[in-house]
Amino acid sequence: MNKRHKRSQLILGMVIALFLAFPFFSNFYWIDVAFFFGVYALLGLSLNIVLGETGLFDLGHAAFYAIGAYITAILNTLYGIPIVWLIPLSALCAGIFAYIVTSPIIHLRGDYLCIVTIGIGEIVRLALINNPFGLTGGPNGITGIGRPSFGLFAIDTSIRFYFYVWIILAIVILGLVRLQRSRIGRAWNYLREDEIAAEMSGIDVRHFKLLSFVLGAALAGVAGNIYASKLMIVSPDTFTFMESSMLFCIVMLGGLGSIPGSILGAGIITVFPEIFRVVANYRMLFFGGALVLAMIFRPGGLWPRKREIAIPNVRSAEEAEEMIRPVAVDQTRTTAKQSLNGETSSFEKHILVTDKLTMKFGGLVAVKDLDLVVGHGKITSIIGPNGAGKTTVFNVVTGIYKPVSGKVYFEGKDITGFKPHKVASLGIARTFQNIRLFPGLTCVENIMAGLHHRMSSYVFSSIMRTESQILEEKWAIETAMYWLDKTGLAGLSDELAKNLPYGKQKLLELARALSSSPKLLILDEPSSGLNDKETEDLMIFLENLLDEMDLSILLIEHDMNLVMGISHWVVAMDMGIKIAEGRPQDIYNNSRVIEAYLGREE
Amino acid sequence: MSIILEQLLNGLTIGSFYALIALGYSMVYGVMKLINFAHGDLFALGSYLGYTLLVWSAGAVSQRFGLWGGMAAALLFAFFAVGCVGVLMERVAYRPVQKSGRLPLVVSALGVSIFLENLIMAVWGPRYQAYPASVVPTYTISLGWFHITSMQLFILILSFVLMLILYYVVQKTTFGAAIRATALDKEMATMLGIDVGKITLFIFFLGPALGGMAGVMNGMYYRQISFVMGWNYGLKAFTATILGGIGNIPAAMLGGLLLGLVEMFGAAYISSAWKDVFTFLILILILIFRPTGLIGEKVAEKV
Amino acid sequence: MSELLVLKDVVVSYGAVTALKGVSIKLNEGQIIAVLGANGAGKSTMLKSISKIVPLKEGKIFYKGKEMASLSAHDLAFQGISHVPEGRRVFPTLTVEENLNLGSYGARKRLLDEEVEETKKWIFELFPVLAERKNQLAGTLSGGEQQMLAIGRGLIAKPTLLLLDEPSLGLAPILVKEIFNAIRKIHEESGTSILLVEQNAKKALAESDYAYILETGKISIEGPASELAGDERVKAAYLGGSAVTKKE
C-alpha cells in the first residue's frame, strides 16, 4: 500500500510496543493509572457511540456504567458467578436497561434529551443509595467482589489487570472501527448530521438511535464489570453526575465520533490530575480551566475524525451500472385509483394519487382537499406563489407530516401516515427546498445514505466483516461512485459535502435521492440558486433519466422555463387549493394562474 | 393542620431558593440556548462570599448596623460580586465558544462549573462551613398554633419581593419586553434597535446575582454550607426550570415554588429517601408528555 | 429631491453562495421604490444588507449621503430605518401592544413619549383590528393581522425609510388589497420613503414610483413603475427565468 499507510502502521506498532513494555519500566502507581486510563477509554468509547457517532446528548451515561458494575457485584457476591462470565451478562443487562429507559424518550431532541438522561443518571444513583430489596447495599455499596480468572490464571495483580483491560480494549477498538465504517456507523452519522434527511433517505431513525444507546450502554456495562472486579467494591458515589460529565468531556475533548480521540480524551482525564498531584488542591481547578480553553481553541476536539472511505481498487462505471440497472417495469403493477378529474385519465397509470388531502397547522389550512395525480413515467410540476402549500404537499406525501384528512396512494397502495423512512423504502425519494445534506460527511457517504435501505448488514456481520458484508459494502461504494460520476461530481468522492459550492450541493442531493433507485422522485425547487446554464443542464439530465430508468418525477418549481420545458402535466396551487391543472401551454395561458401570480384585477 | 401549614412553609422556603436559582437558568437559556451547568456553583459561591463577609468583617458590620444590617450587607455583596463573576464567565468562557456550536458550549459550562467548585474548595477548604449563630436572627414568631421563624419569614418576603420586581421588570416594562424579544428572535430584536450584546450582559449579571443572593439566604437558613452544594441545588433548580417551562421567567418562579412543595410533601407523605427519585421522575414525565413545561408555547420545527 | 439611500455594487455571499452580485439601486426621499423578483433572486438579502444583518462582501451603502460602515445593526432604528422582514416575525408570546412598543425601542432616544403615543393612535386608525386585539398575544393573530402588526411595529419608530419585505406573502387576495391600501395611506399621510420588495408585481408597481427587477442576484430591468407595468418582459421575468423572454 502507500507510504502513509505504512507510516501509520509503523506508529501503531510502536504504540503497541510501548504499551507492552510500559509496566516493566514503571511502578505500581502508574500501572494503576494506566489501568484506569483503559477503563475510561472503554467508557469514553461507549459514550462516543451515543454522543459522538449518533449525536445524542447523553449526560447520564454513568447510569449504564453503574448497571454493569452492580450486576457484576450482586451476581458475584450473592451467587458466586465468575466475573468473566458476568462480562457478557453485564453488557446484556446494561443494554436491556438502556432499551427500556430510552424507548419512551428517544424522540426528544437536543437539550431535552440531555436533561432526561441527567434525570435517568440521578434516578439510578439515588436508587442505588436507597438499597432496593436490600440488593445494592445502600450508600456503602457492595464489598467482597471476586477477581476475574481464566481457569487457574487469576487476574489479581496490577500488571495483570493492566493487560486484562488493554486487551479487552484492543478487541473493542477493532470492533468499533469496523462498526464505524459500516452501514451501521454511517446510519448513526447520518442522523447526527440531519435527522430529517436521514429519515427521508430511508433510515429508521428511531431504530438506530435505540441501537446506539443499547450498544453504548452495553459497552459501559463491560467497563462497569472490569471496574468492579478491580476495586472489589462498588458504591453509588462512583456513578455521579460528575462522572457522566467527565465522560462527556472525554468525548468532546477527543473529538466527536473519533475513536483515537476518545482514547486520547480518556488519557487526558485520567493522567492530567495525576501529573498535577503535586498541587493537589488546585488540580481540578486547572482541569476546569483547561476544559474551557480547549473548547475555545479546539472546539472540534484534539483528535477529530478524518473522514475517508476505503475505495475498492477495481472500479469501473460500467460494472457498477450493471449492478444497479433498475428493476424492469412491473407490468402487473396495480393501476392506481382513477382520479376524479377526467382530464388526467389519459394517463395509463398513476404512480401517486392523493385523495382530498388536507393539512392544517393550528387553525391555518395549508392544503385543502387536494386531488393530485402523478402519471407513471411522466414529469408533473406543481406551481404556485409562495405559501400556496406546495412544500406542505411534499411533506405530507413523504410522511413528514400526517394529513388531517385525505389519503395518499403510491402505486395503488395506501401509504397515508407511513413514516418517512418507510415511504422512502417503498421507492419515493426527494430533495429539499433548502438543501439538506449531511454536511460533515463525504460525498460518497452522502450518496450511500440512499442505499441504506437496500442493504442488510447489521451489527454482527459488520463487526465480523462477513463475506456478504464486504460484498455489500463494495456494491454500495461502487453504486455511489456511479451516481457521483453520473451527476458530474466525479473526483469529489472524498470531499466533505459542506465544502461543495451551492450548485454541486444540489447535484449531490439529487445523486443521493437517485441512488436509492426510486420509482418516484420528488424535487423541491431543483433550479433555485442555479444559473440559466445549470438549469438547462438539469432539464436535460432529468429528461434523460426518464428515458433510462423506470422513474416518475414530481417537482415544485418557480422557474417557468423549466416547468414549461419538461413537464407533461402542471398543477397550479394557490392558498392550499388546486386552482388549475393541465398541459404546460394551457396552464401558461390560464387566466386563474396568471391572476394568482400577478394579483387579482379589480 | 399546623403540620400541613409547616410543611407548606418549609416547601415554600426551599421552593424560593429553587425559584431564584431557576430564574438564572431560564434567563440564560433564553438568550443563549445554553444550560448553564455552572449556575449551581455560582449559588454556592454566593453562599461562601456571604459567609466570609459575615464572619470576617461583619463582626464589624453587624455590630454597627445590627444583625439585619449585617445580613443586608452580605446579601448585597453576594448579589454584586456573583453578578460580576457571571459577566466575567460569559465574556471569558461562553462568548468565544458560542460560534462553535452548542456542544462545545456545554463542555465549556461544565469546565466553568468544575473550576468554580474547586475554586471554592481551594479558597475555603473542603470541609463544611457554618454560618455562626451569632450573625443571624433566630427568634420564632408564634401566632397561637402557628409558628414561623424570623429567618423563614425574611426569606419568604425577600424572595417574594425580588420575584415581584423581576416579574414587573420583565413582563411589564419595555426593557423587559426587549429581553423577551431577544430570547425569541435575536435578529428581529436587533432590527428593532435592541442591543443584543447589552441584553446578554444584563442577563449574565442578573441571573448569577440572584443565584448568589439565594446562596446567602440558604446559608443563613440551613447555616451549613459546602463547596459541593452547587451541584445538588443546581440540578434541583434546573428541574424546576423545566417543570415551569424553560426560557419563560414567570414559569421558572412557579416551577421553583412547586418543586419545593412537591419535595416537602413528598418527603412527608411518601418517602423521604425516595423524594429525589420522584423529583426526577416528574422531570422525565414532563419532558415526555409536556416538553414545554407547565407554562410554555410549542414551537414547530420547520422542514 | 435628495438621495436617501444608495446601494453601489453591493455583493453579498453566504459561504459558497453569492446572493447579490453587484446590485446598485437608488431611492430618493419621499419615494416608494419596488424591487421585484422571483424566489431566491436575492430580494430579502438586499434588505438585510441594508439593515446590516448580513455583511457586505463588496460595495457600499449610503444613507442620507453618508456611508453606514461604522454603524451596528442595532443603531439603524435610531437612524430612522425600520425593517419589516419577510414572514412578519412578530414575537408570538408578546402581546400586540408589547410588539408595537418594541418597535420604538431603538428610536426611544429621538422620540418623545407623546410622539410614540400619537403614532400608535395613527397605527390603530390604519389597522383598527390591532386596537381591538392589543392585549392579545401576537401568536394568536391571523396571518394578515400579524402582517399589519409587523408593519405597525416598523412604523411606530417614525422611520425616514421603511423597508418592507414581501408584505403580501401568503395572504388572501382581499388581505393583499388591504395591505397595499395601507401602504399607500402610510406614504400619503406620513411621507415615509418606502423600499418595497414584492413578488406581487402588479400590486407593487401600482403603488410605487420606480422599480427594479432582481434576477439571481442582479438587477435585470429598471424603470419608472408605470412603464414597467406595461412591459411584457416584466410579466415574463416575473413568472420565472429570462428564458421565457427568449421564447417570445
Side-chain angles (χ1 to χ4, degrees):
Chain A
M1 279 276 227
N2 59 25
K3 232 177 174 176
R4 230 183 86 226
H5 191 75
K6 253 186 192 152
R7 218 188 64 189
S8 62
Q9 269 191 338
L10 192 72
I11 292 175
L12 189 69
M14 279 164 64
V15 168
I16 290 173
L18 194 73
F19 267 101
L20 288 173
F22 167 77
F24 304 104
F25 296 95
S26 186
N27 58 30
F28 287 115
Y29 180 77
W30 281 101
I31 291 171
D32 275 348
V33 170
F35 166 82
F36 282 106
F37 176 4
V39 173
Y40 276 95
L42 272 179
L43 286 168
L45 289 172
S46 76
L47 181 61
N48 184 47
I49 297 176
V50 184
L51 172 68
E53 302 289 359
T54 322
L56 300 167
F57 290 19
D58 175 7
L59 252 175
H61 205 64
F64 309 127
Y65 179 31
I67 298 286
Y70 269 85
I71 288 289
T72 302
I74 292 167
L75 294 181
N76 179 263
T77 53
L78 284 185
Y79 305 107
I81 302 175
I83 295 291
V84 177
W85 294 11
L86 287 171
I87 295 179
L89 205 61
S90 302
L92 189 70
C93 289
I96 291 172
F97 175 76
Y99 183 81
I100 293 168
V101 297
T102 57
S103 283
I105 56 154
I106 203 79
H107 62 282
L108 295 173
R109 281 171 201 219
D111 290 341
Y112 287 139
L113 187 69
C114 172
I115 295 158
V116 171
T117 54
I118 293 174
I120 290 171
E122 281 300 290
I123 287 176
V124 167
R125 185 179 67 86
L126 292 165
L128 294 176
I129 292 177
N130 285 333
N131 198 7
F133 313 110
L135 281 175
T136 64
N140 298 326
I142 299 170
T143 52
I145 302 160
R147 287 271 152 98
S149 64
F150 298 89
L152 289 175
F153 185 77
I155 309 292
D156 50 7
T157 65
S158 285
I159 292 183
R160 285 178 184 181
F161 261 109
Y162 167 83
F163 282 113
Y164 176 64
V165 73
W166 279 93
I167 287 169
I168 292 177
L169 186 63
I171 298 168
V172 167
I173 291 170
L174 188 71
L176 286 180
V177 168
R178 288 177 163 194
L179 206 55
Q180 191 181 50
R181 288 168 194 180
S182 74
R183 173 176 177 260
I184 310 287
R186 281 193 305 273
W188 286 337
N189 290 171
Y190 295 143
L191 65 99
R192 177 190 70 200
E193 297 285 318
D194 189 327
E195 224 177 286
I196 286 167
E199 177 86 27
M200 206 46 246
S201 301
I203 288 141
D204 187 344
V205 165
R206 187 183 156 81
H207 175 95
F208 280 92
K209 276 183 173 178
L210 278 171
L211 178 68
S212 153
F213 257 116
V214 167
L215 286 185
L219 195 51
V222 172
N225 171 289
I226 297 170
Y227 171 86
S229 65
K230 162 80 179 174
L231 261 74
M232 302 172 81
I233 172 172
V234 290
S235 74
D237 36 303
T238 311
F239 310 104
T240 55
F241 175 61
M242 187 67 193
E243 189 77 2
S244 293
S245 353
M246 280 296 168
L247 301 182
F248 200 89
C249 294
I250 288 177
V251 175
M252 286 299 294
L253 269 179
L256 280 182
S258 162
I259 289 173
S262 291
I263 298 167
L264 178 69
I268 293 171
I269 296 272
T270 43
V271 178
F272 188 101
E274 300 305 327
I275 294 173
F276 286 86
R277 197 163 271 282
V278 259
V279 282
N281 282 346
Y282 301 100
R283 63 195 175 120
M284 289 309 282
L285 192 73
F286 289 140
F287 178 70
L291 272 183
V292 174
L293 288 178
M295 287 306 112
I296 294 174
F297 296 108
R298 289 303 291 265
L302 299 171
W303 194 338
R305 176 170 174 198
K306 283 196 187 63
R307 298 209 76 94
E308 280 175 4
I309 265 283
I311 296 163
N313 296 331
V314 262
R315 181 180 74 73
S316 75
E318 300 95 273
E319 204 181 299
E321 199 175 359
E322 203 66 47
M323 297 173 85
I324 56 134
R325 189 161 294 291
V327 215
V329 188
D330 181 4
Q331 293 300 333
T332 60
R333 207 176 264 167
T334 346
T335 305
K337 185 171 177 282
Q338 288 292 318
S339 161
L340 302 167
N341 195 322
E343 271 183 289
T344 57
S345 61
S346 58
F347 285 130
E348 286 176 357
K349 280 187 197 165
H350 309 308
I351 186 121
L352 184 83
V353 176
T354 70
D355 180 17
K356 295 220 183 311
L357 203 62
T358 300
M359 185 67 210
K360 289 180 192 165
F361 298 104
L364 184 83
V365 182
V367 177
K368 193 167 188 298
D369 289 338
L370 182 77
D371 294 325
L372 181 72
V373 172
V374 179
H376 177 237
K378 305 283 191 238
I379 297 179
T380 307
S381 299
I382 304 182
I383 60 168
N386 263 356
K390 301 176 307 258
T391 299
T392 306
V393 174
F394 279 16
N395 286 339
V396 173
V397 167
T398 54
I400 289 173
Y401 299 146
K402 218 175 165 164
V404 173
S405 64
K407 296 273 180 217
V408 182
Y409 298 93
F410 178 63
E411 295 190 301
K413 186 180 166 194
D414 184 357
I415 61 161
T416 319
F418 277 29
K419 282 197 165 179
H421 71 88
K422 187 88 210 307
V423 173
S425 65
L426 288 175
I428 299 182
R430 77 174 279 186
T431 64
F432 295 87
Q433 195 173 345
N434 307 308
I435 308 175
R436 296 192 89 126
L437 287 167
F438 308 114
L441 307 188
T442 63
C443 291
V444 174
E445 287 172 311
N446 265 278
I447 299 178
M448 284 164 94
L451 300 167
H452 174 91
H453 71 262
R454 297 172 65 199
M455 296 165 75
S456 60
S457 62
Y458 204 57
V459 178
F460 183 76
S461 55
S462 298
I463 291 176
M464 297 317 288
R465 290 253 155 108
T466 60
E467 201 165 322
S468 66
Q469 193 262 354
I470 293 172
L471 267 176
E472 192 182 67
E473 280 292 298
K474 208 174 142 196
W475 166 81
I477 292 171
E478 281 170 357
T479 311
M481 294 305 277
Y482 166 78
W483 283 109
L484 206 63
D485 289 352
K486 179 106 179 156
T487 46
L489 298 171
L492 291 170
S493 57
D494 286 350
E495 192 60 66
L496 297 187
K498 65 178 170 199
N499 295 338
L500 296 185
Y502 187 80
K504 294 212 159 105
Q505 291 196 2
K506 292 213 86 141
L507 289 174
L508 184 59
E509 203 189 22
L510 188 61
R512 180 179 68 193
L514 284 170
S515 71
S516 66
S517 294
K519 294 170 192 148
L520 175 64
L521 181 64
I522 298 186
L523 304 171
D524 199 343
E525 298 198 20
S527 83
S528 76
L530 301 184
N531 62 32
D532 291 350
K533 173 75 176 59
E534 289 167 328
T535 306
E536 215 160 290
D537 291 345
L538 180 74
M539 282 168 62
I540 295 166
F541 181 76
L542 292 179
E543 282 181 325
N544 286 344
L545 273 181
L546 235 51
D547 295 338
E548 289 170 26
M549 298 170 68
D550 171 28
L551 187 68
S552 314
I553 296 176
L554 173 63
L555 54 88
I556 290 176
E557 204 25 270
H558 279 290
D559 187 331
M560 283 305 125
N561 180 34
L562 192 147
V563 171
M564 297 308 158
I566 66 171
S567 310
H568 300 102
W569 196 253
V570 179
V571 176
M573 282 181 73
D574 190 23
M575 311 283 301
I577 300 166
K578 179 167 73 183
I579 55 169
E581 67 179 313
R583 280 167 225 291
Q585 279 316 310
D586 303 337
I587 291 297
Y588 190 62
N589 297 319
N590 184 302
S591 59
R592 283 195 73 187
V593 177
I594 294 169
E595 221 173 71
Y597 268 104
L598 288 174
R600 219 165 278 268
E601 294 288 345
E602 271 106 55
Chain B
M1 185 61 202
S2 82
I3 289 178
I4 293 181
L5 207 65
E6 229 164 79
Q7 295 293 359
L8 190 74
L9 274 178
N10 290 339
L12 284 177
T13 311
I14 190 160
S16 45
F17 299 145
Y18 292 156
L20 287 176
I21 310 171
L23 283 170
Y25 274 116
S26 198
M27 288 194 285
V28 166
Y29 189 88
V31 297
M32 207 175 251
K33 303 287 171 274
L34 162 73
I35 302 167
N36 183 13
F37 287 106
H39 193 59
D41 299 290
L42 290 168
F43 160 84
L45 183 67
S47 211
Y48 273 88
L49 287 174
Y51 161 81
T52 299
L53 194 78
L54 280 176
V55 175
W56 285 3
S57 63
V61 181
S62 304
Q63 266 162 27
R64 201 179 260 175
F65 301 102
L67 284 183
W68 297 102
M71 275 167 54
L75 285 166
L76 281 175
F77 176 60
F79 182 86
F80 284 105
V82 177
C84 292
V85 172
V87 169
L88 200 69
M89 170 180 78
E90 194 266 339
R91 275 289 152 100
V92 174
Y94 297 161
R95 194 172 292 192
V97 183
Q98 204 178 3
K99 62 179 185 305
S100 310
R102 297 177 66 178
L103 273 174
L105 207 52
V106 168
V107 174
S108 198
L110 288 171
V112 173
S113 167
I114 293 169
F115 180 85
L116 283 176
E117 187 179 314
N118 287 280
L119 182 74
I120 294 172
M121 189 186 80
V123 174
W124 283 279
R127 287 191 317 180
Y128 281 91
Q129 301 285 355
Y131 273 60
S134 59
V135 296
V136 281
T138 50
Y139 42 89
T140 305
I141 301 161
S142 304
L143 289 168
W145 46 262
F146 174 68
H147 309 285
I148 181 168
T149 67
S150 53
M151 206 55 231
Q152 239 172 1
L153 191 66
F154 172 70
I155 287 168
L156 285 176
I157 291 174
L158 180 60
S159 18
F160 191 68
V161 168
L162 281 175
M163 284 190 254
L164 215 61
I165 293 173
L166 192 67
Y167 180 83
Y168 174 79
V169 169
V170 171
Q171 299 298 128
K172 302 290 168 199
T173 67
T174 309
F175 181 67
I179 294 177
R180 284 179 288 148
T182 304
L184 288 167
D185 186 342
K186 274 190 191 158
E187 194 176 283
M188 189 63 232
T190 307
M191 288 196 269
L192 295 180
I194 297 168
D195 186 343
V196 171
K198 262 190 200 157
I199 299 270
T200 308
L201 216 62
F202 175 79
I203 294 293
F204 271 92
F205 177 84
L206 191 62
L210 288 172
M213 214 172 196
V216 179
M217 287 194 256
N218 184 275
M220 290 169 172
Y221 186 63
Y222 289 114
R223 304 262 297 284
Q224 205 179 45
I225 55 175
S226 117
F227 75 102
V228 288
M229 68 199 257
W231 281 115
N232 194 21
Y233 275 89
L235 215 53
K236 291 291 182 52
F238 176 60
T239 307
T241 317
I242 304 295
L243 187 67
I246 199 158
N248 179 330
I249 286 168
M253 302 176 190
L254 179 80
L257 292 176
L258 214 60
L259 185 69
L261 291 175
V262 166
E263 264 195 34
M264 275 302 149
F265 283 100
Y269 297 104
I270 305 172
S271 150
S272 80
W274 291 91
K275 71 170 176 153
D276 285 356
V277 174
F278 289 120
T279 308
F280 289 113
L281 270 181
I282 290 174
L283 171 75
I284 292 174
L285 291 177
I286 285 206
L287 282 172
I288 294 174
F289 295 107
R290 203 176 157 76
T292 49
L294 297 176
I295 317 175
E297 299 284 321
K298 199 174 173 102
V299 188
E301 199 198 359
K302 195 172 161 62
V303 179
Chain C
M1 269 198 295
S2 61
E3 288 173 349
L4 183 63
L5 181 80
V6 178
L7 269 69
K8 234 178 140 184
D9 303 321
V10 167
V11 177
V12 173
S13 57
Y14 299 106
V17 199
T18 305
L20 294 183
K21 303 162 185 164
V23 169
S24 301
I25 66 164
K26 197 176 75 183
L27 185 146
N28 291 331
E29 219 156 302
Q31 270 186 321
I32 300 186
I33 298 286
V35 176
L36 312 172
N39 241 14
K43 296 171 303 196
S44 294
T45 303
M46 193 187 85
L47 290 193
K48 282 184 178 177
S49 72
I50 296 169
S51 47
K52 301 185 84 84
I53 295 294
V54 297
L56 301 190
K57 199 174 171 199
E58 281 166 47
K60 285 176 177 164
I61 298 179
F62 298 92
Y63 173 67
K64 290 184 176 167
K66 275 177 284 183
E67 213 189 328
M68 305 197 294
S70 63
L71 296 178
S72 296
H74 64 256
D75 294 328
L76 294 181
F78 179 78
Q79 298 293 329
I81 300 181
S82 282
H83 187 158
V84 181
E86 182 184 346
R88 301 141 202 157
R89 288 171 79 170
V90 297
F91 303 110
T93 52
L94 271 60
T95 66
V96 169
E97 190 158 28
E98 282 172 336
N99 265 283
L100 271 182
N101 289 343
L102 275 180
S104 66
Y105 191 88
R108 67 196 185 284
K109 283 182 187 136
R110 74 174 150 83
L111 296 176
L112 299 170
D113 286 353
E114 298 86 73
E115 277 181 280
V116 174
E117 281 309 311
E118 224 169 86
T119 319
K120 202 192 283 181
K121 240 183 240 158
W122 174 61
I123 291 166
F124 284 155
E125 276 167 34
L126 271 175
F127 305 117
V129 66
L130 294 183
E132 284 164 35
R133 319 213 150 174
K134 64 180 182 182
N135 295 321
Q136 223 168 296
L137 293 185
T140 62
L141 299 184
S142 74
E145 290 162 352
Q146 287 192 9
Q147 188 61 61
M148 294 171 192
L149 175 56
I151 295 175
R153 188 176 60 181
L155 284 177
I156 202 160
K158 290 191 119 182
T160 319
L161 171 62
L162 184 65
L163 309 175
L164 285 177
D165 196 346
E166 305 227 17
S168 76
L169 186 74
L171 298 184
I174 178 97
L175 282 166
V176 173
K177 200 173 138 193
E178 206 171 313
I179 293 285
F180 276 102
N181 285 343
I183 293 171
R184 186 187 310 133
K185 252 183 159 169
I186 290 163
H187 185 245
E188 281 167 6
E189 292 175 17
S190 71
T192 307
S193 312
I194 297 175
L195 181 53
L196 174 66
V197 154
E198 255 302 335
Q199 277 206 326
N200 194 326
K202 196 151 250 170
K203 284 281 187 191
L205 288 174
E207 302 303 338
S208 52
D209 303 309
Y210 198 85
Y212 297 88
I213 308 277
L214 197 58
E215 266 184 87
T216 56
K218 274 180 266 181
I219 300 287
S220 60
I221 307 170
E222 65 174 286
S226 47
E227 277 178 32
L228 288 193
D231 193 328
E232 260 309 302
R233 288 180 307 164
V234 174
K235 180 187 163 194
Y238 196 67
L239 273 164
S242 51
V244 179
T245 329
K246 283 178 218 149
K247 235 182 233 170
E248 287 168 2

